[in-house]
Amino acid sequence: MARRDCPAGSRTADQGQHQIGGRSPVSPRLVFELVSASEHPPPKSPNAPVFRTDKPLQPDQTMFASYRPILSLLRGTAFLLAASGLHGLLLPLRGQLEGFSTASLGLMGTAWAGGFVTGCFFAPRLVRRAGHVRAFGAFAASGAIVALLTGLIINEYVWILLRAFTGFTMAGAFMVIESWLNEKATNENRGTVFGLYMMVTYASIMGGQMIVAGGDVRSASLFMITGILFCLSLIPTAVSTASSPKPLQDVKLDVKGLYANSPVSAIACLLVGIANGAWGTLGAVYGARIGISTAEIALMMSLVVVAGAAMQLPAGRLSDKTDRRFVLAGAAFGAALFAILIFLFEPHSSVLVIVLTAAYGAFAYTLYSIAVAHANDHASDEDFVKVSGGLLLLYGFGTMIGPLLAAALMGWFRPEGLFLATALAHLCLAAYTLLRISRRAPVPIEDRDAFKTQPADRSVTPEALRLRKAEADG
């Protein structure tokens, strides 16, 4: 086919046109007008609608967004503490039914406390090696394995060994969670975060203990539920997109420095650990041996800690207005008084037992907070974590001694011998505190820090103290 040539004038005109996208040609003038319009848009009418694509978040949406990664951690904490509370109450009750000796039941508490203190020293190294997420997964999975093994192997010596492993894994898991919370909290919400953490702690432990009331201690179902709760604690952290916090810091104990800073606080934390360790380990055994029901035992154990938590604030406010050592001695005398009443009168009515033990807990579980506050009155700001962490470890050593002392007295006397052990510890504390009042002047009120509540149980690591220190600095 013959090629058709365009006219010369038409070809010349085409050379001055532009092709856009392979479509119709556009003249240079039109291109210039389009570019100018894009660079200098015409003014908008005052009545023209405005469409915004950068709508700001409402205050409640912003607050929820800041708490979202923390809530994920708290969900894992809730399952973990529920499993710990359930397992800690289930073992002495089942051991009592199996005919385990009182000494063996006491050794279970000593083993748990020993494992927990050991974990505070060595768990940071494992976390630095494996990372927070994998380390927490290993700790929680180990807790589940131990819980299931205690349901499979009903042997007092095996249980003592497994309780030591449980204490170690719980220390590691708590250190991971508490360091993570410390990292994610801001100066604006740090106090709220710590408050939420304490609320979750108490509610979850109580919830776990009350599960025992609805189950059969003689069956394996409660051991399985414990394992399930440990596994459920893995899920929130495993699927969380939050970045891992900084590596954990090593824990150090300077007993000489703690005693030099505040002799009363050092001795108090050790003696309070003895009393609280005795009650926490053998309180359920006492309830079973005097004949109250499993549900009533679970309620009794829970109310003791709740009463102590509720009493901390008024006792702390009182200690802010006077010499803290007077409040410490008074609370120690109060705890000893109710313990002696139970030992002497041997109540068997479930209502009376629950009331008296709750009154005992209201005094006994305020002592640790007052002792720590008194130590911090004498310490410098930069030594807060060091002093508080050291006192926590002394408290842990006391929880290793208490179950052995209480088990011996329960064997020599009767179930109420448990309260004879706690009364001895509290009376020694009150007497030593009064002695120190005559030897050392109190810190002036204007030079003290305000009282801060402390956890009324032993499932807290030095990482939680760093969270409190950061809250105070913020």
Side-chain angles (χ1 to χ4, degrees), residues 66-89:
S66 65
Y67 284 112
R68 187 177 298 166
I70 294 170
L71 294 177
S72 176
L73 294 173
L74 291 178
R75 284 195 294 269
T77 303
F79 288 122
L80 189 73
L81 285 166
S84 177
L86 169 57
H87 201 222
L89 182 58

Side-chain angles (χ1 to χ4, degrees), residues 29 92 97 157 235 243 348 403 408 434 442:
R29 179 178 179 81
L97 290 176
Y157 302 109
I235 298 176
S243 58
H348 286 77
L434 292 176

Side-chain angles (χ1 to χ4, degrees), residues 7-297:
S10 175
R11 187 180 301 115
T12 303
D14 289 344
Q15 293 174 354
Q17 296 174 338
H18 297 266
Q19 198 85 2
I20 298 182
R23 297 181 182 269
S24 58
V26 181
S27 68
R29 179 178 179 81
L30 179 59
V31 172
F32 175 79
E33 291 175 352
L34 289 173
V35 173
S36 299
S38 65
E39 294 178 347
H40 306 284
K44 295 182 179 179
S45 171
N47 298 324
V50 178
F51 300 95
R52 296 183 61 89
T53 59
D54 57 342
K55 183 178 179 180
L57 294 175
Q58 298 298 321
D60 55 343
Q61 294 174 316
T62 305
M63 181 179 68
F64 179 77
S66 65
Y67 284 112
R68 187 177 298 166
I70 294 170
L71 294 177
S72 176
L73 294 173
L74 291 178
R75 284 195 294 269
T77 303
F79 288 122
L80 189 73
L81 285 166
S84 177
L86 169 57
H87 201 222
L89 182 58
L90 174 61
L91 289 182
L93 290 176
R94 179 62 180 270
Q96 169 68 21
L97 290 176
E98 295 291 339
F100 292 176
S101 67
T102 307
S104 296
L105 296 172
L107 279 171
M108 290 180 197
T110 298
W112 193 97
F116 192 89
V117 172
T118 304
C120 289
F121 283 103
F122 292 100
R125 304 178 188 180
L126 299 178
V127 175
R128 285 197 294 267
R129 181 181 303 174
H132 283 72
V133 175
R134 286 193 292 268
F136 182 81
F139 292 136
S142 298
I145 292 170
V146 169
L148 296 175
L149 283 175
T150 53
L152 289 173
I153 307 173
I154 310 298
N155 181 279
E156 52 191 322
Y157 302 109
V158 173
W159 279 17
I160 292 171
L161 179 63
L162 291 176
R163 283 301 279 170
F165 280 108
T166 302
F168 185 92
T169 58
M170 293 302 292
F174 285 133
M175 293 189 83
V176 170
I177 289 174
E178 289 160 2
S179 67
W180 220 325
L181 289 174
N182 193 21
E183 188 87 2
K184 295 304 174 185
T186 64
N187 290 336
E188 289 75 19
N189 66 10
R190 197 172 300 278
T192 303
V193 168
F194 189 83
L196 287 173
Y197 180 55
M198 289 297 100
M199 289 175 58
V200 169
T201 296
Y202 294 126
S204 301
I205 291 176
M206 284 186 61
Q209 290 176 338
M210 295 309 296
I211 291 175
V212 178
D216 184 5
V217 177
R218 291 179 292 271
S219 71
S221 59
L222 291 176
F223 293 97
M224 296 180 184
I225 293 174
T226 304
I228 291 171
L229 291 173
F230 272 119
C231 292
L232 285 174
S233 69
L234 285 166
I235 298 176
T237 54
V239 301
S240 176
T241 58
S243 58
S244 296
K246 298 176 182 178
L248 297 181
Q249 300 181 24
D250 288 326
V251 177
K252 298 180 180 179
L253 177 61
D254 181 10
V255 176
K256 184 177 179 180
L258 291 174
Y259 187 82
N261 176 70
S262 174
V264 165
S265 296
I267 299 299
C269 287
L270 181 65
L271 292 173
V272 171
I274 291 174
N276 290 1
W279 167 257
T281 300
L282 296 171
V285 177
Y286 157 76
R289 290 186 178 177
I290 65 173
I292 65 176
S293 68
T294 302
E296 290 165 342
I297 292 173

